[in-house]
Amino acid sequence: MAKRRSTIKDVAVEAGVSATTVSHVLNKTRYVSPEVTANVYKAIEKLNYKPNHMARSLRGAGTKAIGVIIADIREEFFAEIVKSIEKFCNRSDYIVYLCDSEDKIEKEAKYIQSLLAKDVDGIIISPVYSNTKISSLLDADIPIIQIDRYSKNIDSFFIGINNKKSALEATSYLINNDSEKILFVGYNDNVYTQKLRREGFLEAIEKNNRKVEYNIVSLDYMDNETLCTELGNAIDNYPDFDTVFCTTGKLCYNFLKAAMKKNLLQSQKLKILTYDNSKWLDLLKYPISSIKQPTEDIGRIAVEKMMNYLNSEEKICAESIHLDTELLIRK
Amino acid sequence: MAKRRSTIKDVAVEAGVSATTVSHVLNKTRYVSPEVTANVYKAIEKLNYKPNHMARSLRGAGTKAIGVIIADIREEFFAEIVKSIEKFCNRSDYIVYLCDSEDKIEKEAKYIQSLLAKDVDGIIISPVYSNTKISSLLDADIPIIQIDRYSKNIDSFFIGINNKKSALEATSYLINNDSEKILFVGYNDNVYTQKLRREGFLEAIEKNNRKVEYNIVSLDYMDNETLCTELGNAIDNYPDFDTVFCTTGKLCYNFLKAAMKKNLLQSQKLKILTYDNSKWLDLLKYPISSIKQPTEDIGRIAVEKMMNYLNSEEKICAESIHLDTELLIRK
DNA sequence: AGTTATTACGAATACGTTTGCGCAAACGTT
DNA sequence: AACGTTTGCGCAAACGTATTCGTAATAACT
């Protein structure tokens, strides 16, 4: 075996022309007579020649690959976004490196290094924190796009949702529907989305005339098991809430698990609202209202922007797009 | 800006040595005196030099990248496997190309081409069908590993579960717990896992003495909406079943959606069993028993095997490993 | 002192492409 | 017939690295 992959030179010899001509035929980069063209294609066919992307890239063309860095591919929210990114990249014959940061800045940094070393044409990232300086990204001269989360230290286009507004709307809805004591469950403020969602929540409470009590649970990112335990503790520490507002689908899932263990879900008295519209919500024994994020749009717009950059039709600039969410009420 | 990335030559000049020496320092591939070594590292630091993987790869080393081809990253089953693959690849400093075939052979073929052109060091694939010949894979001289699904036309290591056995066990359990009329919901026989799961199901029925009726729904892969409609039709066409056996989590989800629309889930009379243990199952209003697949192990073993191949400690051979599943009963 | 072994490094080439430059032949123009 | 223009293609350098030779200087032997 050990069949050597045939090169452009093999094709050239087989077709009786120079490698230059083969290259030009392949890339349609200058005129080549019909007969020669035909011969070249015949040779390519015969030798089953496939251009070597690496050599091509080395010469200066792009790699036709982009990196995508997200926190956890198992979360529906990220899976949907990645699916969308993948789909639209594929249409432009780009291929994606999947980088799962596990929400750890060290792994994030390592992946950025890897991606740059691999000479990706661009990076789409949902940064772990909103305040970490990723120096390597700064002087990389490839386009960066931030999705979902935004770090002010990365000078780039951003596509995500209107976090504050959506939280404000949702909280207002809760208050207007007789919530009097709300448990707000979110991650710590270093995460871009979390800070804004909390601000929206607080603003809604402030603006409202009626008396509303609340407690805030602020967590670090962790695995489901630990999260479940933590939320169990939270339930014990802050009793008597009539409403729960979770800032991510993962948090909501684990809250439900914890609540179930404590038999909190028997009486249908508790009102629950969460970000992320898991497709399973409709099938739960318990009604959960949700804030649906336009995941497909986020992925699509990110890729569209990236392609615009890469074809240099568009100059890179630090614009931001905040899409609206949809509040889905379940009773 | 447009800062040119510094090359090994720049480092060489800066350090007052030849590129050869820099290379040897970097790769520790021959003795270099301590002083020179120090100088080289100083120059590297100063110029912020990062080796160019592409040039390195072109020269013959691998690309330190592998391709992973699966059907749909949004399915929990695949997401978990990919997460696991990603995790273990990362430990060996490999990075993964995510390829979402959407269960379409054309997209699968296209991705294989892309991956080969990109010179990945190996490919981990869950093939769409068990009988399609993917000629490009055959004469690629990189290691291939099949996961979950197996195609006999791809001569490779395989890691997945014991489909027939698990289906047989599960079905036996159903029969021994008073199921008398079972609706079997699966995909068509071209998909490796599906054929075996059905065979296991049928064998269990055959072996059993008690009278058991059954109907089989055989579907093609499609999106959730269509699947839901199809399953709604199936429910109408085959009435009176007391048990449903779904061969994948996605099918189960859509069956539940369809069943809910038809108010089939009100009386807790229907027994439901499904492959794939979605984390949401515990929270459903309806008890669903499940066959849990060892997704993390599948990913881990696939990567371990791949790494063994790549370090050529191990010769490639067409071995198969079939892991056992776990039957989780919910009432 | 002469030979050999060892140490410490450099020059040159190869990997598979793309591309600037240039050249020969055919054609058109006066 | 002499010259310019076009047509169609090849030569060779370049991309950034790894590696096979080779070599000069020193050390270690007879």
Side-chain angles (χ1 to χ4, degrees), chain A residues 272-309:
Chain A
I272 306 182
L273 171 68
T274 183
Y275 270 85
D276 299 335
N277 183 45
S278 167
K279 67 179 182 204
W280 289 97
L281 290 184
D282 286 323
L283 298 172
L284 296 191
K285 69 174 77 172
Y286 205 91
I288 317 272
S289 296
S290 64
I291 299 171
K292 183 179 181 182
Q293 301 195 52
T295 48
E296 165 137 15
D297 289 338
I298 293 177
R300 178 177 52 76
I301 294 174
V303 173
E304 283 173 358
K305 206 71 178 177
M306 181 65 82
M307 294 305 142
N308 281 349
Y309 287 156

Side-chain angles (χ1 to χ4, degrees), chain B residues 101-113:
Chain B
S101 72
E102 299 176 24
D103 235 57
K104 296 180 187 144
I105 46 174
E106 314 83 39
K107 214 176 161 200
E108 178 178 64
K110 180 178 173 187
Y111 263 130
I112 291 173
Q113 294 291 350

Side-chain angles (χ1 to χ4, degrees), chain B residues 1 11 25 36 62 72 89 112-113 124 127 137 140 162 174 177 204 228 233 252 274 277 280 283 301 326:
Chain B
M1 282 289 124
V11 175
V25 168
V36 172
D72 187 350
C89 278
I112 291 173
Q113 294 291 350
I124 297 179
L137 261 192
N162 215 317
L174 291 176
N177 283 66
C228 191
N233 297 338
C252 180
T274 183
N277 183 46
W280 289 98
L283 298 172
I301 294 174
E326 195 180 346

